[in-house]
Amino acid sequence: MKRKRSIGLAFAAGALFATGLAVGGMTNPSKVRSFLDFAGVWDPTLLFVMGGAVTVYFTLHRFVLKRGAPLFDTRFHLPTRRDIDARLIADAAIFGVGWGLGGYCPGPGIASSMTGAVGPVVFVVAMIVGMWIQRRIEFSVAHSAGEASANQVVIECARRPS
Amino acid sequence: MMFHTTNAVLGLAGGALIGVAAALYLATHGRIAGISGIVSGVLERAADWRPRLAFIVGLAATGALLALAAPTLFERPTSSLPIVAGAGLLVGFGTRLSNGCTSGHGVCGTSRLSLRSIAATLTFIATGAITVAVTHRVGGAQ
Protein backbone atom coordinates (compact mmCIF):
# COMPACT_ATOMS: atom_id res chain seq x y z
CA MET A 1 0.00 0.00 0.00
CA LYS A 2 2.78 2.37 1.00
CA ARG A 3 4.76 1.49 -2.11
CA LYS A 4 1.71 2.16 -4.29
CA ARG A 5 1.26 5.58 -2.71
CA SER A 6 4.95 6.30 -3.14
CA ILE A 7 4.77 5.44 -6.85
CA GLY A 8 1.50 7.33 -7.26
CA LEU A 9 2.80 10.52 -5.66
CA ALA A 10 6.05 10.41 -7.68
CA PHE A 11 3.91 10.06 -10.81
CA ALA A 12 1.79 13.03 -9.66
CA ALA A 13 4.91 15.15 -9.10
CA GLY A 14 6.10 14.30 -12.62
CA ALA A 15 2.65 15.12 -14.02
CA LEU A 16 2.57 18.50 -12.26
CA PHE A 17 6.11 19.20 -13.43
CA ALA A 18 5.18 18.51 -17.07
CA THR A 19 2.10 20.75 -16.78
CA GLY A 20 4.25 23.56 -15.41
CA LEU A 21 6.80 23.17 -18.19
CA ALA A 22 4.13 23.19 -20.91
CA VAL A 23 2.16 26.12 -19.44
CA GLY A 24 5.37 28.10 -19.03
CA GLY A 25 6.37 27.58 -22.66
CA MET A 26 9.41 25.42 -21.93
CA THR A 27 8.23 22.66 -24.29
CA ASN A 28 8.63 25.08 -27.17
CA PRO A 29 12.32 24.84 -28.14
CA SER A 30 12.34 27.99 -30.27
CA LYS A 31 10.99 29.95 -27.28
CA VAL A 32 13.79 28.62 -25.08
CA ARG A 33 16.35 29.52 -27.73
CA SER A 34 14.81 33.00 -27.95
CA PHE A 35 15.39 33.39 -24.21
CA LEU A 36 19.07 32.61 -24.80
CA ASP A 37 19.17 35.03 -27.74
CA PHE A 38 20.21 38.10 -25.76
CA ALA A 39 21.71 39.73 -28.84
CA GLY A 40 18.58 39.15 -30.94
CA VAL A 41 14.85 39.41 -30.24
CA TRP A 42 15.14 38.42 -26.59
CA ASP A 43 12.11 36.61 -25.15
CA PRO A 44 12.21 36.91 -21.32
CA THR A 45 9.43 34.34 -20.63
CA LEU A 46 11.85 31.77 -19.18
CA LEU A 47 12.93 34.31 -16.59
CA PHE A 48 9.34 34.37 -15.30
CA VAL A 49 9.20 30.57 -15.29
CA MET A 50 12.40 30.37 -13.26
CA GLY A 51 11.28 33.26 -11.03
CA GLY A 52 7.93 31.58 -10.32
CA ALA A 53 9.54 28.20 -9.67
CA VAL A 54 12.28 29.57 -7.41
CA THR A 55 9.84 31.72 -5.38
CA VAL A 56 7.46 28.81 -4.77
CA TYR A 57 10.15 26.20 -4.12
CA PHE A 58 12.11 28.58 -1.87
CA THR A 59 9.00 29.09 0.28
CA LEU A 60 7.69 25.51 0.29
CA HIS A 61 10.96 23.65 0.77
CA ARG A 62 11.49 25.39 4.12
CA PHE A 63 8.19 24.06 5.43
CA VAL A 64 8.90 20.62 4.00
CA LEU A 65 12.33 20.36 5.63
CA LYS A 66 10.83 21.31 9.01
CA ARG A 67 8.96 18.00 8.98
CA GLY A 68 12.20 16.17 9.72
CA ALA A 69 11.73 13.36 7.23
CA PRO A 70 9.96 12.83 3.91
CA LEU A 71 6.83 10.67 3.69
CA PHE A 72 8.47 7.61 2.12
CA ASP A 73 12.03 7.79 3.40
CA THR A 74 13.78 8.01 6.73
CA ARG A 75 15.65 11.19 5.84
CA PHE A 76 16.12 13.92 3.23
CA HIS A 77 18.85 13.41 0.64
CA LEU A 78 20.15 16.87 -0.13
CA PRO A 79 23.44 17.83 -1.80
CA THR A 80 25.95 19.02 0.76
CA ARG A 81 28.83 20.20 -1.45
CA ARG A 82 29.35 23.93 -1.50
CA ASP A 83 32.66 24.28 -3.35
CA ILE A 84 32.80 25.49 -6.92
CA ASP A 85 35.34 23.46 -8.89
CA ALA A 86 36.52 23.60 -12.49
CA ARG A 87 34.70 20.38 -13.29
CA LEU A 88 31.32 21.78 -12.28
CA ILE A 89 31.82 24.84 -14.47
CA ALA A 90 33.21 22.86 -17.45
CA ASP A 91 30.33 20.44 -17.39
CA ALA A 92 27.65 23.07 -16.89
CA ALA A 93 29.25 24.81 -19.89
CA ILE A 94 28.91 21.63 -22.00
CA PHE A 95 25.28 21.29 -20.95
CA GLY A 96 24.63 24.93 -21.91
CA VAL A 97 25.99 24.37 -25.43
CA GLY A 98 23.63 21.40 -25.90
CA TRP A 99 20.74 23.41 -24.44
CA GLY A 100 21.38 26.27 -26.84
CA LEU A 101 21.73 23.97 -29.85
CA GLY A 102 18.50 22.03 -29.40
CA GLY A 103 16.39 24.30 -27.18
CA TYR A 104 15.73 21.34 -24.88
CA CYS A 105 16.91 20.62 -21.38
CA PRO A 106 16.13 17.18 -19.90
CA GLY A 107 12.64 17.91 -18.47
CA PRO A 108 11.01 19.44 -21.56
CA GLY A 109 12.74 16.84 -23.77
CA ILE A 110 11.16 13.99 -21.82
CA ALA A 111 7.79 15.77 -21.51
CA SER A 112 7.73 16.14 -25.32
CA SER A 113 8.97 12.62 -26.07
CA MET A 114 5.55 10.96 -26.37
CA THR A 115 3.82 13.64 -28.41
CA GLY A 116 4.49 11.94 -31.75
CA ALA A 117 7.27 14.30 -32.83
CA VAL A 118 10.60 12.66 -33.76
CA GLY A 119 12.88 15.48 -32.53
CA PRO A 120 12.33 15.03 -28.77
CA VAL A 121 12.69 11.23 -29.06
CA VAL A 122 16.05 11.68 -30.81
CA PHE A 123 17.00 14.19 -28.11
CA VAL A 124 16.12 11.90 -25.19
CA VAL A 125 17.86 8.84 -26.71
CA ALA A 126 20.98 10.91 -27.42
CA MET A 127 20.83 12.34 -23.88
CA ILE A 128 20.80 8.84 -22.39
CA VAL A 129 23.73 7.87 -24.65
CA GLY A 130 25.57 11.01 -23.50
CA MET A 131 25.02 10.07 -19.84
CA TRP A 132 26.24 6.55 -20.60
CA ILE A 133 29.40 7.80 -22.37
CA GLN A 134 30.17 10.10 -19.44
CA ARG A 135 29.76 7.22 -17.02
CA ARG A 136 32.04 4.97 -19.07
CA ILE A 137 34.77 7.64 -19.15
CA GLU A 138 34.41 8.33 -15.44
CA PHE A 139 34.54 4.61 -14.72
CA SER A 140 37.69 3.99 -16.79
CA VAL A 141 39.42 7.04 -15.30
CA ALA A 142 38.48 5.96 -11.78
CA HIS A 143 39.60 2.43 -12.59
CA SER A 144 43.08 3.36 -13.83
CA ALA A 145 43.58 5.95 -11.08
CA GLY A 146 41.97 3.58 -8.62
CA GLU A 147 44.73 0.95 -8.70
CA ALA A 148 46.95 3.12 -6.51
CA SER A 149 44.21 4.12 -4.08
CA ALA A 150 42.96 0.53 -3.91
CA ASN A 151 46.42 -0.56 -2.74
CA GLN A 152 46.29 2.22 -0.20
CA VAL A 153 42.97 0.91 1.10
CA VAL A 154 44.52 -2.52 1.57
CA ILE A 155 47.40 -0.98 3.50
CA GLU A 156 45.00 1.12 5.59
CA CYS A 157 42.96 -1.97 6.39
CA ALA A 158 46.06 -3.95 7.29
CA ARG A 159 47.18 -1.17 9.58
CA ARG A 160 43.89 -0.93 11.39
CA PRO A 161 43.32 -3.68 13.93
CA SER A 162 39.77 -4.87 13.52
CA MET B 1 12.87 42.42 -26.96
CA MET B 2 9.67 40.42 -27.26
CA PHE B 3 7.44 40.98 -24.25
CA HIS B 4 3.85 39.84 -23.88
CA THR B 5 2.01 40.10 -20.56
CA THR B 6 0.22 36.80 -21.31
CA ASN B 7 3.58 35.04 -21.69
CA ALA B 8 4.82 36.52 -18.43
CA VAL B 9 1.68 35.43 -16.54
CA LEU B 10 1.74 31.94 -18.06
CA GLY B 11 5.47 31.76 -17.32
CA LEU B 12 4.90 32.64 -13.66
CA ALA B 13 2.00 30.17 -13.40
CA GLY B 14 4.01 27.40 -15.09
CA GLY B 15 6.98 28.16 -12.88
CA ALA B 16 4.79 28.05 -9.76
CA LEU B 17 3.52 24.59 -10.80
CA ILE B 18 7.11 23.42 -11.28
CA GLY B 19 7.93 24.73 -7.80
CA VAL B 20 4.95 22.87 -6.29
CA ALA B 21 5.92 19.67 -8.15
CA ALA B 22 9.52 19.89 -6.91
CA ALA B 23 8.34 20.57 -3.33
CA LEU B 24 5.93 17.61 -3.53
CA TYR B 25 8.79 15.34 -4.63
CA LEU B 26 10.92 16.63 -1.75
CA ALA B 27 8.10 16.11 0.77
CA THR B 28 7.34 12.58 -0.40
CA HIS B 29 10.71 11.20 -1.53
CA GLY B 30 13.15 13.57 0.13
CA ARG B 31 15.14 14.36 -2.99
CA ILE B 32 15.90 17.24 -5.32
CA ALA B 33 13.59 17.17 -8.36
CA GLY B 34 16.41 17.48 -10.86
CA ILE B 35 15.35 15.72 -14.03
CA SER B 36 18.84 14.70 -15.11
CA GLY B 37 19.54 13.28 -11.65
CA ILE B 38 16.24 11.38 -11.59
CA VAL B 39 16.99 9.88 -15.04
CA SER B 40 20.53 8.81 -14.17
CA GLY B 41 19.19 7.21 -10.98
CA VAL B 42 16.83 5.09 -13.08
CA LEU B 43 19.62 4.15 -15.52
CA GLU B 44 21.94 3.19 -12.67
CA ARG B 45 19.20 1.25 -10.87
CA ALA B 46 19.45 3.32 -7.69
CA ALA B 47 17.68 1.82 -4.67
CA ASP B 48 14.70 4.14 -5.29
CA TRP B 49 14.55 3.63 -9.07
CA ARG B 50 10.83 2.79 -9.00
CA PRO B 51 9.52 6.18 -7.80
CA ARG B 52 12.11 7.85 -10.05
CA LEU B 53 10.75 5.96 -13.04
CA ALA B 54 7.19 6.84 -11.95
CA PHE B 55 8.15 10.53 -11.97
CA ILE B 56 9.59 10.21 -15.50
CA VAL B 57 6.52 8.30 -16.73
CA GLY B 58 4.27 10.99 -15.18
CA LEU B 59 6.30 13.64 -16.97
CA ALA B 60 6.13 11.94 -20.38
CA ALA B 61 2.52 10.74 -20.13
CA THR B 62 1.24 14.16 -19.04
CA GLY B 63 3.20 15.73 -21.90
CA ALA B 64 1.47 13.37 -24.31
CA LEU B 65 -2.00 14.21 -22.89
CA LEU B 66 -1.37 17.96 -22.91
CA ALA B 67 -0.11 17.77 -26.50
CA LEU B 68 -3.48 16.27 -27.47
CA ALA B 69 -5.40 18.96 -25.56
CA ALA B 70 -3.23 21.93 -26.56
CA PRO B 71 -0.89 20.99 -29.44
CA THR B 72 0.49 24.53 -29.78
CA LEU B 73 2.26 24.17 -26.41
CA PHE B 74 4.57 21.54 -27.95
CA GLU B 75 6.39 22.93 -30.93
CA ARG B 76 8.92 20.85 -32.77
CA PRO B 77 12.58 21.77 -32.51
CA THR B 78 13.68 24.23 -35.18
CA SER B 79 17.13 22.67 -35.36
CA SER B 80 17.76 19.75 -37.74
CA LEU B 81 17.70 16.19 -36.37
CA PRO B 82 21.50 15.65 -36.39
CA ILE B 83 21.88 18.92 -34.45
CA VAL B 84 19.17 17.79 -31.99
CA ALA B 85 21.02 14.47 -31.56
CA GLY B 86 24.29 16.31 -30.91
CA ALA B 87 22.45 18.59 -28.46
CA GLY B 88 21.11 15.54 -26.61
CA LEU B 89 24.58 14.02 -26.34
CA LEU B 90 26.02 17.23 -24.89
CA VAL B 91 23.09 17.68 -22.48
CA GLY B 92 23.40 14.09 -21.24
CA PHE B 93 27.18 14.27 -20.95
CA GLY B 94 27.21 17.68 -19.25
CA THR B 95 24.37 17.16 -16.79
CA ARG B 96 25.54 13.71 -15.70
CA LEU B 97 28.92 15.25 -15.00
CA SER B 98 27.90 18.46 -13.24
CA ASN B 99 25.09 16.67 -11.38
CA GLY B 100 22.34 18.92 -12.55
CA CYS B 101 20.36 20.71 -15.20
CA THR B 102 17.88 23.58 -15.38
CA SER B 103 15.60 22.01 -12.77
CA GLY B 104 18.19 20.65 -10.34
CA HIS B 105 20.60 23.57 -10.34
CA GLY B 106 18.43 26.32 -11.87
CA VAL B 107 15.33 25.86 -9.72
CA CYS B 108 16.03 23.66 -6.69
CA GLY B 109 19.68 24.58 -6.13
CA THR B 110 19.16 28.30 -6.66
CA SER B 111 16.21 28.23 -4.23
CA ARG B 112 18.39 26.56 -1.65
CA LEU B 113 20.93 29.36 -2.22
CA SER B 114 23.58 26.79 -3.18
CA LEU B 115 26.59 28.63 -4.57
CA ARG B 116 27.46 25.60 -6.71
CA SER B 117 24.04 25.67 -8.33
CA ILE B 118 24.04 29.41 -8.87
CA ALA B 119 27.48 29.15 -10.53
CA ALA B 120 26.34 26.23 -12.70
CA THR B 121 23.14 28.06 -13.69
CA LEU B 122 24.98 31.24 -14.70
CA THR B 123 27.46 29.09 -16.66
CA PHE B 124 24.92 27.15 -18.68
CA ILE B 125 22.89 30.26 -19.45
CA ALA B 126 26.10 31.96 -20.64
CA THR B 127 27.27 29.11 -22.89
CA GLY B 128 23.69 28.56 -24.10
CA ALA B 129 23.52 32.23 -25.09
CA ILE B 130 26.90 32.05 -26.85
CA THR B 131 25.75 28.92 -28.71
CA VAL B 132 22.52 30.58 -29.89
CA ALA B 133 24.43 33.71 -30.95
CA VAL B 134 26.96 31.63 -32.91
CA THR B 135 24.33 29.45 -34.62
CA HIS B 136 22.39 32.55 -35.61
CA ARG B 137 25.49 34.02 -37.22
CA VAL B 138 26.45 30.76 -38.93
CA GLY B 139 22.84 29.88 -39.66
CA GLY B 140 23.60 26.18 -39.75
CA ALA B 141 21.31 25.12 -36.95
CA GLN B 142 18.27 26.99 -38.21
Side-chain angles (χ1 to χ4, degrees):
Chain A
M1 190 60 205
K2 197 168 183 186
R3 177 183 268 185
K4 264 190 192 163
R5 273 176 56 215
S6 154
I7 299 290
L9 282 168
F11 182 93
L16 265 178
F17 206 103
T19 312
L21 288 173
V23 169
M26 298 281 290
T27 47
N28 182 344
S30 64
K31 198 172 183 62
V32 173
R33 294 190 74 223
S34 298
F35 165 73
L36 293 169
D37 194 9
F38 295 98
V41 190
W42 185 53
D43 179 347
T45 307
L46 205 145
L47 212 56
F48 290 93
V49 178
M50 277 192 128
V54 166
T55 308
V56 170
Y57 191 75
F58 178 81
T59 314
L60 291 182
H61 96 280
R62 287 167 175 250
F63 289 104
V64 169
L65 292 182
K66 273 187 193 150
R67 290 171 42 98
L71 211 50
F72 303 112
D73 206 324
T74 49
R75 64 181 186 94
F76 290 104
H77 303 265
L78 297 173
T80 47
R81 285 183 66 173
R82 298 202 64 86
D83 58 308
I84 297 167
D85 55 337
R87 192 183 132 159
L88 173 80
I89 300 302
D91 305 330
I94 295 174
F95 161 52
V97 173
W99 191 35
L101 274 180
Y104 280 130
C105 49
I110 294 171
S112 310
S113 65
M114 278 165 55
T115 57
V118 186
V121 178
V122 169
F123 174 84
V124 171
V125 172
M127 179 179 87
I128 290 171
V129 172
M131 287 178 168
W132 181 80
I133 293 174
Q134 193 283 326
R135 201 170 173 227
R136 294 298 302 177
I137 294 173
E138 192 175 58
F139 185 76
S140 60
V141 169
H143 200 70
S144 54
E147 304 272 291
S149 56
N151 287 338
Q152 206 161 359
V153 171
V154 174
I155 295 164
E156 293 275 319
C157 292
R159 269 189 201 148
R160 217 171 277 167
S162 49
Chain B
M1 192 168 113
M2 188 163 68
F3 183 80
H4 301 291
T5 317
T6 323
N7 282 346
V9 172
L10 287 177
L12 277 176
L17 278 175
I18 293 171
V20 171
L24 175 64
Y25 192 64
L26 182 71
T28 54
H29 295 84
R31 290 183 186 272
I32 295 290
I35 309 299
S36 57
I38 293 177
V39 172
S40 57
V42 173
L43 297 176
E44 287 157 24
R45 286 296 189 101
D48 63 335
W49 67 272
R50 283 187 186 86
R52 284 169 188 258
L53 185 62
F55 184 101
I56 299 295
V57 172
L59 190 66
T62 308
L65 274 178
L66 287 171
L68 288 176
T72 50
L73 291 178
F74 293 81
E75 281 183 21
R76 284 154 201 246
T78 46
S79 316
S80 65
L81 280 186
I83 297 280
V84 170
L89 277 176
L90 293 172
V91 166
F93 191 92
T95 52
R96 173 69 186 67
L97 215 49
S98 63
N99 302 315
C101 55
T102 336
S103 47
H105 281 312
V107 174
C108 299
T110 304
S111 306
R112 296 175 57 236
L113 308 177
S114 153
L115 284 181
R116 269 175 74 79
S117 291
I118 292 167
T121 306
L122 292 175
T123 305
F124 60 65
I125 289 179
T127 56
I130 293 168
T131 306
V132 168
V134 169
T135 54
H136 276 180
R137 299 301 169 276
V138 178
Q142 288 306 291

